[in-house]
Amino acid sequence: MSRFNPLKADAAWQKVWEENRTFAARDDSPKPKSFVLEMFPYPSGRIHMGHVRNYTMGDVLARFRRMQGMEVLHPMGWDAFGMPAENAAMEKKVHPGNWTRANIATMKAQLKRLGFALDWTRELATCEPDYYGHEQAIFLDFFENGLVYRKESAVNWDPVDMTVLANEQVIDGRGWRSGALVERRKLSQWFFRITQFAEDLLEGVQALEHWPDKVKLMQENWIGKSEGLQFDWTLSDGEILPVYTTRPDTIFGASFIAVAADHPIARKLAASDDNVRAFVELCKQGGTTAAELETQEKLGFDTGLTATHPFDSAWQVPVYIANFVLMDYGTGAVFGVPAHDQRDFEFATKYQLPVRRVVSEGDKTEPEFRDAEAYTGPGTLVNSHFLDGMDVADAKRTVIRRAEEGGWGKGQTVWRLRDWGVSRQRYWGTPIPIIHCERCGVVPAPRESLPIALPEDVSFDIPGNPLDRHPTWKHVDCPKCGAPARRETDTLDTFVDSSWYFIRFASQPADRPFDKAVAEQWLPVGQYIGGVEHAILHLLYARFFTRALRHIGKLDVTEPFAGLFTQGMVTHASYYQMEEHDGLERKAYFEPSQISRRGDGTAFLTETGEDVIVGRIEKMSKSKKNTVDPTEIVDQYGADATRWFMLSDSPPERDLEWSESGIEGAWRFVNRLWRLFENLSEAEAGTGRDVDLDKRLHRTIAGVAEDVESLAFNKSVAKLYELVGAIEKAQPSASRTDAIRTLARIVAPMVPHIAEEAWAAMGNPGLIADAEWPAVDPALLVDDEVTIAVQVNGKLRDTLLMPKGAAKDVVEAAALASDKIVRSLEGKQPRKVIVVPDRLVNIVA
RNA sequence: GCGGGUGUGGCGGAAUGGUAGACGCAGCGGACUCAAAAUCCGCCGUUGGCAACAACAUGUCGGUUCGAGUCCGACCACCCGUACCA
């Protein structure tokens, strides 16, 4: 008997699949269509275990759906634009394109090595003109339909690197790379009008049945709908100040007004008053990190202005400038009701402003507010003139109605969601197809000039955008008037690239982004699988794209992803020693391959014997050096064992801890399978039926199908272990032979190489990848005998083997006759006997 | 702070309100072997007991129920998201 040779089998079957184009999806197939998609990778260099887990899950589902008779689209591509390529260009002096394409080649080979059932004929890379050219066409479509616009917007500007930084790249107010103090700069930038679809995006996400609640909630919060009143206050200098509130009911609890430091009123005052200017400057200081905001003191500056209460012209409230008011939400001005808003309460306490109760809390109705915290709960309006006695909702409606009648305010919905700024001052991205002409202004690039390709001859020696300083690229004649003009040198946010790649996978004509009819055959994606880190931005942007495309009549799909699954991370312990660096303590990490563990859990460097600290179990990352290269594992154990381990043990939505013993267990299982398959082809088939084994087989077929359908791979793995154990123990019989032959098909989606090997060895024609999922005989799913638990006062005392469907009184009699039960009752009379048919008997005594 | 999730043996985890701990990993004992690897058989929550068995046990405390890991209420711990959103 030989051991399974994965190296040989993997390569052989991967070649067969490739030559037969087994996994190429046919647009014209008469079969029902299924689109299985995993989030495409960024080509960072090599694949990591997270990729392997993600793509294995999708692969099992894709192969399973094929076996169920569906035409499956399971494509792969590369999210190939982005910063790391430019960083590599700066550090290693390689062109971003060469670096990226070399990484793609490496990673593609690594993915192929795992035997994924991918349709490589549809492979795409977003950094190639035959992809981003079509993206430019979509940009022009959006532009023509008013979904794209340009506006001045503040950005984080790194004056040394001469580039715009994302918020995540600003650390303690300094650029992450240069360390220079970041400036807020106004730049003219391109925006997608995502807020136009805010309501629809919110309603749509709520209707997605096959999305995790967690992700739906995150999207809802991000869109952030709130309903309230925008209304005017007249200031003592005669200006009108619009204020937005979600609590118009508390209008009679108003204590002060606060405006943002960059509010026009504050700016106007700052121009003539040094004290105001000093305070405004103070507000701009301080970081924007979570920790700092939390501890930051609420600061206010009394402008000396007052505002007239809209319901009482004699009532004046002071107007402050405050550091906690945001200019870009609502109107940049709030009115403070300290009794019923915690933040207002803190502010009022600090500046000794009145705190007046206007909503009752239990039996507390008096206007004097003495509690240590604001009351934000429900109640009846008190001390509020005509609102007294109403509940909060009624009072809100009443105030909004009065404001609208009086012409000084109106009910308004405000969204947290902002329009999507897509301009990036970078080289390695999709050029924005726009030309700036001094005479004609902003002119879209002519369609026939697409794709507008990136120039290859660029340098990264000096900071700034290489496109902007390229000697010729940006100089172009205006398409309208022919005068010398300038190309837009900003490129698109890489999230734009990933907002429509799934459409391009479904249909990829050469002359346009996609064919409407063909794309609609496949879309929406039936099952989308990826990391939860994309729960908000990527998924929201993709949902915006399909809506925008539908809006302009290009594609009749609303939701891009009907089913979503967010898988957990692959984790591993990290190992480090503390070392001193420039007087600072820091961790120096070691790779797991350098480490040996002792029985007590401590660890040391294998080579030197030095102790190392065993750190947290956390996501595999290069910076923590706690990565395990999938390729080394595949080379050692084969693709099937690696895949099997990825599916075992941990529920897919939870983190999976990598372990050496885990992969060895998977390898053992692959060999157990192999022994069954190989002995079958050598030994003569048994005769006679083994009904228990038949039943177990059919239960497993049904159970595994159900588990795979719901992506509960750890459960299907457990069921397969049980079946294999039962087959191993069973005496030879026709049933056992059937079971082994069928087993190959049940495991095929998970361990496809050994399954093909077995399928061929058993003399079957064709490929197991094309075989049908085994049929379940429903008659074998029911048992004729059941084990019934017998409890006394809810505690298990005995079990009975009874025919299925036995009458209640028969079961009860059998239970009461049991020796163990008689003993447990200790002579007490049963007061009550509960019989659950085919399950249990509970005797209450 | 707010929102969400998780909490079960040494570990990963199973369990439509109905026999808690399936399955895997690790460990222990045995078989085979000159020996090892591989493989096979057995044991494996805690405590007491030779055993039969009993008691305890699903983060904590309470509740609903004939019966709770599962439902309800309060709390604790950890993880994730978010950031002064008026």
Side-chain angles (χ1 to χ4, degrees):
Chain A
M1 195 194 332
S2 62
R3 278 179 104 183
F4 176 59
N5 183 341
L7 261 38
K8 234 170 92 184
D10 288 359
W13 293 109
Q14 284 160 17
K15 189 162 167 246
V16 170
W17 296 328
E18 182 153 352
E19 281 170 358
N20 290 345
R21 295 163 66 99
T22 305
F23 304 116
R26 286 178 46 195
D27 291 337
D28 59 356
S29 169
K31 297 179 191 170
K33 292 192 167 61
S34 173
F35 191 167
V36 177
L37 183 67
E38 299 97 57
M39 292 179 185
F40 66 163
Y42 177 78
S44 57
R46 301 180 66 78
I47 64 166
H48 53 70
M49 280 296 173
H51 292 127
V52 177
R53 191 177 190 206
N54 190 177
Y55 301 142
T56 300
M57 291 180 193
D59 200 58
V60 173
L61 187 66
R63 287 175 176 271
F64 173 70
R65 294 248 165 100
R66 279 177 55 82
M67 292 182 79
Q68 284 191 315
M70 302 180 97
E71 186 68 28
V72 172
L73 173 56
H74 186 220
M76 183 52 70
W78 310 95
D79 189 12
F81 273 139
M83 280 280 287
E86 288 192 53
N87 294 340
M90 282 183 257
E91 284 160 16
K92 298 173 192 159
K93 311 278 179 226
V94 288
H95 188 274
N98 295 341
W99 182 84
T100 303
R101 288 179 195 110
N103 289 346
I104 289 175
T106 306
M107 292 171 74
K108 184 175 177 181
Q110 289 183 297
L111 289 180
K112 289 200 166 190
R113 183 69 190 79
L114 280 148
F116 294 133
L118 291 165
D119 181 356
W120 286 106
T121 68
R122 296 176 190 239
E123 179 186 6
L124 57 83
T126 59
C127 66
E128 303 300 345
D130 65 2
Y131 183 83
Y132 68 71
H134 297 301
E135 188 165 302
Q136 291 167 335
I138 295 174
F139 182 95
L140 293 178
D141 290 338
F142 285 4
F143 181 82
E144 284 158 16
N145 285 278
L147 293 171
V148 177
Y149 67 99
R150 213 165 136 75
K151 79 169 175 193
E152 285 268 310
S153 153
V155 294
N156 303 309
W157 179 260
D158 184 321
V160 171
D161 276 357
M162 295 208 288
T163 186
V164 170
L165 299 176
N167 281 331
E168 307 81 65
Q169 295 167 335
V170 181
I171 298 153
D172 295 333
R174 292 171 182 274
W176 67 294
R177 177 180 289 279
S178 68
L181 275 173
V182 168
E183 299 167 9
R184 308 258 320 149
R185 248 199 209 190
K186 291 259 182 184
L187 282 185
S188 197
Q189 308 228 75
W190 291 99
F191 285 82
F192 282 174
R193 220 179 276 283
I194 188 171
T195 53
Q196 183 176 325
F197 300 92
E199 186 84 60
D200 190 34
L201 285 165
L202 182 66
E203 281 172 17
V205 80
Q206 285 160 348
L208 288 167
E209 285 176 43
H210 303 290
W211 276 41
D213 288 341
K214 176 172 72 168
V215 175
K216 288 161 71 169
L217 197 78
M218 283 163 79
Q219 293 233 340
E220 282 171 32
N221 291 342
W222 189 261
I223 297 167
K225 181 180 186 174
S226 71
E227 289 175 271
L229 170 70
Q230 183 177 322
F231 64 119
D232 295 331
W233 294 67
T234 307
L235 301 186
S236 47
D237 65 357
E239 296 274 341
I240 301 290
L241 175 65
V243 165
Y244 176 76
T245 181
T246 55
R247 291 296 301 272
D249 53 305
T250 61
I251 183 76
F252 290 103
S255 167
F256 62 91
I257 289 212
V259 301
D262 44 356
H263 193 280
I265 286 179
R267 275 196 258 164
K268 191 175 135 195
L269 291 170
S272 60
D273 186 331
D274 286 344
N275 291 331
V276 177
R277 194 177 321 137
F279 181 76
V280 167
E281 283 305 313
L282 182 70
C283 289
K284 283 184 185 167
Q285 287 175 12
T288 52
T289 63
E292 280 178 276
L293 278 177
E294 200 162 343
T295 52
Q296 203 165 48
E297 202 176 355
K298 310 241 175 303
L299 295 177
F301 182 90
D302 189 347
T303 61
L305 292 169
T306 60
T308 307
H309 194 282
F311 285 116
D312 182 352
S313 56
W315 186 353
Q316 297 289 314
V317 301
V319 177
Y320 280 76
I321 302 167
N323 64 345
F324 63 85
V325 181
L326 304 174
M327 190 56 224
D328 49 4
Y329 184 81
T331 62
V334 301
F335 80 96
V337 184
H340 305 292
D341 180 283
Q342 185 58 26
R343 194 192 49 206
D344 295 348
F345 183 84
E346 286 166 27
F347 190 80
T349 309
K350 176 159 177 164
Y351 293 100
Q352 287 158 26
L353 295 160
V355 183
R356 182 182 153 89
R357 180 194 306 281
V358 290
V359 178
S360 66
E361 178 185 1
D363 54 3
K364 291 184 208 166
T365 57
E366 69 285 357
E368 294 77 25
F369 191 90
R370 296 191 190 84
D371 298 335
E373 272 185 5
Y375 175 70
T376 55
T380 305
L381 272 287
V382 292
N383 313 312
S384 295
H385 304 269
F386 58 89
L387 298 174
D388 284 351
M390 293 183 192
D391 65 25
V392 168
D394 262 351
K396 280 183 185 173
R397 276 192 292 274
T398 304
V399 172
I400 290 172
R401 201 185 61 235
R402 290 245 192 162
E404 287 175 348
E405 282 165 6
W408 48 267
K410 62 178 192 333
Q412 202 170 12
T413 303
V414 169
W415 304 87
R416 206 192 88 110
L417 184 69
R418 310 287 154 77
D419 277 336
W420 174 15
V422 292
S423 296
R424 296 292 181 269
Q425 292 67 38
R426 303 228 170 82
Y427 167 75
W428 195 232
T430 301
I432 295 174
I434 291 289
I435 292 159
H436 299 280
C437 170
E438 283 203 13
R439 206 177 320 161
C440 311
V442 166
V443 182
R447 299 270 176 173
E448 59 274 15
S449 70
L450 302 187
I452 296 165
L454 289 166
E456 288 289 315
D457 51 334
V458 284
S459 73
F460 295 87
D461 305 342
I462 47 173
N465 183 352
L467 283 184
D468 202 36
R469 58 164 190 268
H470 189 276
T472 56
W473 188 78
K474 70 177 168 183
H475 301 300
V476 61
D477 291 342
C478 171
K480 251 191 198 164
C481 70
R486 181 179 64 81
R487 265 193 208 293
E488 172 68 66
T489 56
D490 284 357
T491 52
L492 289 171
D493 180 3
T494 56
F495 274 116
V496 178
D497 309 334
S498 53
S499 290
W500 71 285
Y501 77 107
F502 47 92
I503 310 174
R504 183 75 188 164
F505 272 145
S507 165
Q508 35 193 236
D511 59 339
R512 55 199 192 283
F514 52 86
D515 180 273
K516 183 171 186 287
V518 174
E520 284 168 5
Q521 279 189 29
W522 291 107
L523 292 166
V525 173
Q527 184 66 60
Y528 196 34
I529 308 176
V532 74
E533 65 272 19
H534 293 113
I536 298 176
L537 294 182
H538 162 57
L539 292 170
L540 190 67
Y541 293 151
R543 297 182 60 231
F544 157 70
F545 248 72
T546 49
R547 280 171 170 77
L549 289 168
R550 193 180 61 157
H551 181 74
I552 63 177
K554 296 277 180 181
L555 182 71
D556 197 13
V557 171
T558 308
E559 288 295 342
F561 313 117
L564 174 71
F565 188 86
T566 53
Q567 102 268 11
M569 302 176 296
V570 181
T571 61
H572 196 289
S574 54
Y575 304 98
Y576 62 90
Q577 291 176 334
M578 295 309 294
E579 67 176 28
E580 211 175 291
H581 192 79
D582 296 339
L584 287 169
E585 285 268 293
R586 52 165 228 182
K587 292 170 179 176
Y589 288 96
F590 298 95
E591 289 171 20
S593 58
Q594 300 171 271
I595 304 292
S596 296
R597 296 287 289 257
R598 302 191 187 90
D600 60 0
T602 59
F604 59 96
L605 284 172
T606 314
E607 214 161 286
T608 64
E610 277 179 85
D611 278 355
V612 293
I613 300 164
V614 179
R616 290 202 321 159
I617 292 165
E618 54 195 324
K619 181 180 180 174
M620 285 189 178
S621 74
K622 279 184 197 161
S623 62
K624 303 274 163 58
K625 290 194 179 173
N626 60 342
T627 56
V628 174
D629 189 335
T631 304
E632 288 172 21
I633 301 301
V634 179
D635 285 343
Q636 193 177 347
Y637 298 98
D640 288 339
T642 307
R643 295 165 59 112
W644 186 257
F645 176 60
M646 285 291 133
L647 301 167
S648 307
D649 291 353
S650 281
E653 68 277 11
R654 286 204 217 162
D655 291 350
L656 169 71
E657 193 190 343
W658 175 264
S659 77
E660 199 63 30
S661 51
I663 182 68
E664 277 167 12
W667 168 239
R668 274 199 292 276
F669 179 75
V670 169
N671 280 294
R672 280 168 75 188
L673 283 178
W674 182 243
R675 279 193 295 277
L676 288 179
F677 294 144
E678 197 175 49
N679 288 346
L680 182 74
S681 44
E682 282 170 0
E684 86 188 68
T687 54
R689 301 309 307 180
D690 175 341
V691 180
D692 283 346
L693 193 62
D694 287 342
K695 281 183 176 170
R696 186 176 284 275
L697 174 67
H698 283 257
R699 271 207 306 272
T700 306
I701 298 168
V704 169
E706 201 177 300
D707 292 337
V708 168
E709 201 69 66
S710 58
L711 304 165
F713 303 112
N714 57 319
K715 293 191 213 170
S716 46
V717 162
K719 290 187 172 92
L720 284 163
Y721 270 115
E722 288 186 83
L723 177 64
V724 167
I727 294 174
E728 284 169 343
K729 287 189 174 67
Q731 294 301 308
S733 66
S735 296
R736 189 171 186 273
T737 307
D738 286 350
I740 296 170
R741 297 182 72 93
T742 309
L743 177 65
R745 279 186 290 160
I746 312 177
V747 298
M750 302 178 180
V751 285
H753 306 88
I754 194 174
E756 291 287 6
E757 195 81 17
W759 187 252
M762 290 168 188
N764 291 296
L767 293 171
I768 202 166
D770 293 320
E772 273 181 43
W773 184 254
V776 177
D777 180 354
L780 289 168
L781 295 181
V782 289
D783 275 315
D784 41 14
E785 271 193 331
V786 287
T787 307
I788 292 179
V790 185
Q791 301 176 331
V792 175
N793 294 330
K795 291 197 172 177
L796 181 73
R797 295 300 179 206
D798 198 8
T799 57
L800 300 170
L801 201 60
M802 299 290 286
K804 192 179 167 66
K808 277 191 173 191
D809 51 347
V810 176
V811 177
E812 184 177 333
L816 289 169
S818 147
D819 287 348
K820 287 181 182 170
I821 297 307
V822 170
R823 221 181 312 140
S824 297
L825 282 172
E826 294 168 337
K828 280 179 276 188
Q829 275 305 306
R831 282 190 287 131
K832 191 174 173 188
V833 180
I834 288 126
V835 181
V836 182
D838 295 337
R839 284 226 91 116
L840 66 67
V841 180
N842 188 15
I843 299 159
V844 187

